[in-house]
Amino acid sequence: MKLHFFGADQCVTGSCHCLEVNGKKILIDCGLQQGRDEVDNSSLPFHAGNIDYVLVTHAHIDHSGRIPLLVKQGFRGRILTTRLTAQLMDIMLQDSAHIQESDAEYKNRKNLRAGRPVVEPLYTVEDALRVKEFITTCEYGETVDLCEGVQVECIDAGHLLGSASMKLTVTENGETRTIVFSGDIGNVDQPIIRDPQFFHRADFVVMESTYGNRNHTEVWSYTDELAQIIDETLGKGGNVVIPSFAVGRTQELLYFIRQIKDENLVKSVPNFNVYVDSPLSKAATTIFCGDLRGYLDEEALALVKDGTHMFSFPGLHLTETVDESKNLNLDPSPKVIISASGMCDAGRIRHHLKHNLWRPESAVVFVGFQSPGTLGRHLLDGAESVKMFGEEIAVRAKIVNFQGLSSHADRDHLLNWIDQFTPAKPTHVFVVHGDREVAPAFAQDIAARGFSAHAPQYTEVYDLLENRTVEQGYLPEPKKKAFEGAPRASSGYKRLVELGDALAALIRRSRGRDNKTLADFAESLRKILEKFNF
């Protein structure tokens, strides 16, 4: 009975853990690495065909984004998640695949002109569509017999519609252990969704620590503060540009803006237009308007029963086509533009930033976590200019960090979550999904409250029956993203780096091979190193 750590280990994206029990391998999430966390998304640290089950805590891409790659590389098992997560994941993975295809097409146009080899997308829309073939769903509170000796129960994590904390009750050779995976723990008092629910007993806990080093800024009224930003900006003739994740955060913003309009809180341009510029957001909003029994909070339920449309109001426009998106930047009238992606690393938001960052009358409002290495974090850190689409863009717009809208629990609420496991404390707590500066420190905070805890490293293996680490992990060197205009490495050097990444992945996959094969492999590598000793 072993637990393998394959992602979000002292970083905040790429969540992936593997429980090995009774000869079965069960993944808990299989997310995409993003921003500074990206090492090599194309190289899974295990054989996809050897995975028997995947449990998905929620639909966000940093928890689900490599599942199409898993299918592409031979996974033929079963995927279990909640009903709403399955619906949201379907559209999100297709959108992610479209981005992968578009990125590969863009790179290949440049590669062909430069005489370089073409690249393949990480996965295709066809791979993403195949994921649904393997999905089965469950509801909160339901106990699912996953396989021999393994039962799964989900409760509401309060992070995103359908998000779940999961408890696995596992029996091997007559020994039973319970393991709780927190998933992403939600903030309290969010619109639409419920506050996080709690488990109270477990032998082992794997918990997130995204905001383990800080608390959210207390906001007296979300609607009042957002209305003030909109009122001031539109009154100056500028645009309010809001980078937002298409699923979850965009719907929360529409919920608040409906309240702002209902209460006439914006005086400068009371009939202001709001443009949601993301086809994915439109698809997600349709799901948010569907059958949400068992998922909504009390206030949202009351609105639904009263016949109020939570996300509809005068002046709302959902754009789909590229031409519609471009026309927003040709229209001089002040407006609110909500567009993906939330961290500004891809999507239509980059075009809106290009046309608004240089305008002192405009405002860019961040409403979610910005991972280190992303354009969003660069702007929040006070960049005076950024390079986009080969052009230097001055940053003169007002940059606002609207922390009150975070969908993650802050430090105090994370501590409250783990304190629910008292007086019978878990045998051990694994702290994941936090930066290198955050996860180990938060593990110490938990230890100071009487828990046994540590922040595991990538590829670490822990024996749950023996309660000890049996294989040490390591902290990968993050892939450094060069800004546009950085000096280019030679094609030969790039090829060497690609092969080095492939070699590192091969070494990780070689674990468990017989000693003779490993010795031959090592000897071959030694000869290469001796030959090219620069």
Side-chain angles (χ1 to χ4, degrees), residues 491-506:
S491 59
Y493 179 76
K494 288 183 177 179
R495 178 62 175 156
L496 189 63
V497 171
E498 290 173 0
L499 291 173
D501 290 341
L503 176 61
L506 179 60

Side-chain angles (χ1 to χ4, degrees), residues 26 75 137 142 181 215 218 244 250 283 307 314 337 411 457 530:
I26 304 166
F75 171 77
T137 64
E142 179 184 352
F181 294 86
N215 285 323
E218 187 170 346
S244 177
T250 292
I337 301 173
R411 181 180 184 276
Q457 297 186 349
E530 284 186 354

Side-chain angles (χ1 to χ4, degrees), residues 216-235:
H216 300 317
T217 302
E218 187 170 346
V219 178
W220 179 253
S221 169
Y222 296 121
T223 51
D224 286 350
E225 294 214 5
L226 185 58
Q228 181 180 354
I229 295 167
I230 294 173
D231 200 9
E232 290 177 356
T233 306
L234 301 188

Side-chain angles (χ1 to χ4, degrees), residues 331-405:
D331 174 18
S333 61
K335 64 186 77 65
V336 175
I337 301 173
I338 304 171
S339 187
S341 71
M343 295 187 191
C344 307
D345 267 3
R348 296 178 178 179
I349 187 63
R350 294 175 65 85
H351 294 275
H352 299 305
L353 290 174
K354 176 185 175 182
H355 287 275
N356 285 277
L357 278 174
W358 58 271
R359 300 178 61 193
E361 67 271 24
S362 289
V364 178
V365 181
F366 289 98
V367 292
F369 181 76
Q370 301 299 308
S371 183
T374 61
L375 176 59
R377 174 60 71 88
H378 195 48
L379 290 170
L380 280 181
D381 287 344
E384 295 182 357
S385 67
V386 293
K387 201 159 189 178
M388 304 179 68
F389 308 105
E391 185 178 345
E392 196 75 27
I393 308 294
V395 180
R396 296 199 180 103
K398 184 177 182 179
I399 307 296
V400 181
N401 190 11
F402 201 66
Q403 294 180 331
L405 270 181

